[in-house]
Amino acid sequence: MAEAVLKIDKLNKTLGKRHILHDISFEAHAGEVFGFLGPNGAGKTTTIKCAVGLISIDSGTIHIGGKDVNKEFEAAMANVGGIVENPEMYKYLTARQNLEQYARMRDGVTKDRIDKVVELVGLSNRMNEKIMKYSLGMRQRIGVAQALLHNPKLLILDEPTNGLDPAGIKELRDILKKLAHEEGVCVIVSSHLMSEMELMCDRVGIIANGRMLGVYTLEEMISSSNGETTDYIIKCSDANKAFEAVDIEGVEKKIVNEELEVIVPNENAHETIAQVNKQIIMSDIGLYEVTMREKKKLEEVFIEMTNNGGGQIE
């Protein structure tokens, strides 16, 4: 397995009398896009602010590139680039002038490095335009370029697709996947939208009510959404008679809206539903239509998980 660039272990945070984060633990690795997912108010931004030292932690540890954020703050932060909320730029300067200003605050950022990150985000031909003329999507991309100037191991983006149109979201998604898979950067993206993250992320960590519900690959999420059985809706001339006719071990059945629903194990499902159809036809029942009930989408699985995980933190 690749190097754990970010490692959070039993992180707790209290604000006033409210316990905001409860024993948050997860790792994110080099070369992956890690989605940090949860409803609005679940604790995503608070966790990120703790990770980058914007707010203190009560207990637990955070390591970035092997450096303890509490004990070796400057060394840890040298490995981090990020945008928390919106990228801030000097609107009356050009994109290049903005990057040159930022480069002055970091050691070793050369003109070649500026050119490389600009090329990575696809803005080489727009660098001499003022930021005030940039669309929101272009500002997000130049923000990513700025965050990458010092060649960090870890890139953290908090809700980066907010306000972007579909084309802007796709552009950003392609850039982040390239950074991770081709450049070896550990990319962490927070969001409350599973539909976006399933197209972008290699793994997802899910948080609700300040608690981690788990870390999953997309394959594991898809598997949990599919379950172990498949539902079929059968339209026929007599649903009650068909209910009596179907008698196959392991097949559940019920009447729903005057139609027969059968629940079939996924293993050998095609052969099993063929047997169901045969039993109905052999019982002299008119068989009109057999339809597979749509599987749960990842978005629905995510909503169920976070709802079961508790409410939200405001």
Side-chain angles (χ1 to χ4, degrees):
M1 183 175 289
E3 169 195 3
V5 177
L6 173 66
K7 184 174 182 179
I8 296 178
D9 188 40
K10 296 182 179 179
L11 171 63
N12 284 273
K13 180 62 184 176
T14 302
L15 293 176
K17 296 181 179 179
R18 298 167 59 227
H19 197 163
I20 302 298
L21 301 177
H22 304 259
D23 288 328
I24 299 295
S25 298
F26 67 89
E27 293 182 1
H29 303 112
E32 74 170 338
V33 181
F34 183 94
F36 192 36
L37 288 159
N40 288 329
K44 302 186 300 295
T45 299
T46 302
T47 302
I48 288 171
K49 286 182 175 179
C50 288
V52 299
L54 292 176
I55 57 177
S56 62
I57 67 176
D58 296 343
S59 64
T61 59
I62 302 172
H63 287 84
I64 299 175
K67 306 296 183 182
D68 189 313
V69 170
N70 270 349
K71 298 176 181 178
E72 306 168 272
F73 180 75
E74 289 189 9
M77 289 304 106
N79 293 310
V80 181
I83 303 173
V84 180
E85 296 168 348
N86 295 314
E88 294 297 331
M89 299 278 174
Y90 296 105
K91 294 179 181 178
Y92 292 96
L93 297 181
T94 67
R96 180 173 295 281
Q97 288 169 334
N98 268 277
L99 294 182
E100 288 171 348
Q101 288 284 359
Y102 184 77
R104 292 189 180 101
M105 295 184 284
R106 293 283 190 172
D107 293 333
V109 179
T110 64
K111 180 182 180 299
D112 286 344
R113 179 61 185 171
I114 292 174
D115 291 339
K116 181 176 181 180
V117 296
V118 169
E119 184 179 349
L120 277 171
V121 301
L123 286 174
S124 297
N125 62 336
R126 307 294 295 271
M127 284 301 292
N128 294 319
E129 294 181 25
K130 291 183 178 180
I131 293 295
M132 63 188 295
K133 295 182 180 179
Y134 270 27
S135 66
L136 178 58
M138 291 169 65
R139 289 201 298 274
Q140 285 284 36
R141 285 154 62 191
I142 205 66
V144 170
Q146 176 180 290
L148 291 170
L149 275 178
H150 60 295
N151 205 22
K153 294 181 178 180
L154 174 65
L155 177 65
I156 301 179
L157 305 176
D158 187 22
E159 301 277 3
T161 60
N162 275 357
L164 296 186
D165 61 19
I169 291 172
K170 183 182 185 305
E171 288 172 351
L172 184 61
R173 180 170 70 232
D174 291 344
I175 289 166
L176 298 182
K177 289 167 71 173
K178 181 177 180 180
L179 284 171
H181 301 157
E182 297 182 19
E183 303 291 324
V185 178
C186 174
V187 179
I188 295 182
V189 181
S190 80
S191 179
H192 61 281
L193 298 174
M194 182 73 218
S195 56
E196 288 179 13
M197 296 298 97
E198 68 178 289
L199 297 173
M200 184 188 304
C201 299
D202 302 295
R203 293 191 303 144
V204 293
I206 299 178
I207 183 173
N209 199 28
R211 301 177 189 273
M212 288 297 293
L213 304 185
V215 177
Y216 309 91
T217 64
L218 284 185
E219 288 78 11
E220 289 167 342
M221 289 288 289
I222 291 168
S223 176
S224 70
S225 71
N226 287 343
E228 298 178 354
T229 60
T230 300
D231 293 11
Y232 292 88
I233 307 299
I234 299 175
K235 293 183 180 180
C236 56
S237 59
D238 190 331
N240 291 307
K241 188 176 177 182
F243 182 92
E244 298 298 330
V246 173
D247 184 17
I248 299 173
E249 184 178 354
V251 173
E252 299 178 39
K253 52 188 179 173
K254 55 187 175 181
I255 303 295
V256 179
N257 297 327
E258 299 184 355
E259 296 173 346
L260 176 64
E261 179 174 346
V262 294
I263 303 169
V264 176
N266 285 341
E267 187 175 359
N268 299 320
H270 288 162
E271 290 81 358
T272 303
I273 197 64
Q275 291 177 29
V276 169
N277 296 341
K278 182 177 180 179
Q279 289 184 347
I280 292 172
I281 293 169
M282 294 295 289
S283 300
D284 201 25
I285 302 165
L287 179 61
Y288 304 146
E289 184 178 306
V290 180
T291 307
M292 183 189 300
R293 187 185 293 277
E294 186 178 358
K295 301 283 190 181
K296 288 182 182 177
K297 296 179 180 177
L298 289 186
E299 188 83 20
E300 293 171 340
V301 175
F302 169 59
I303 290 170
E304 285 182 9
M305 290 178 68
T306 51
N307 284 345
N308 292 338
Q312 296 182 0
I313 299 169
E314 299 300 332

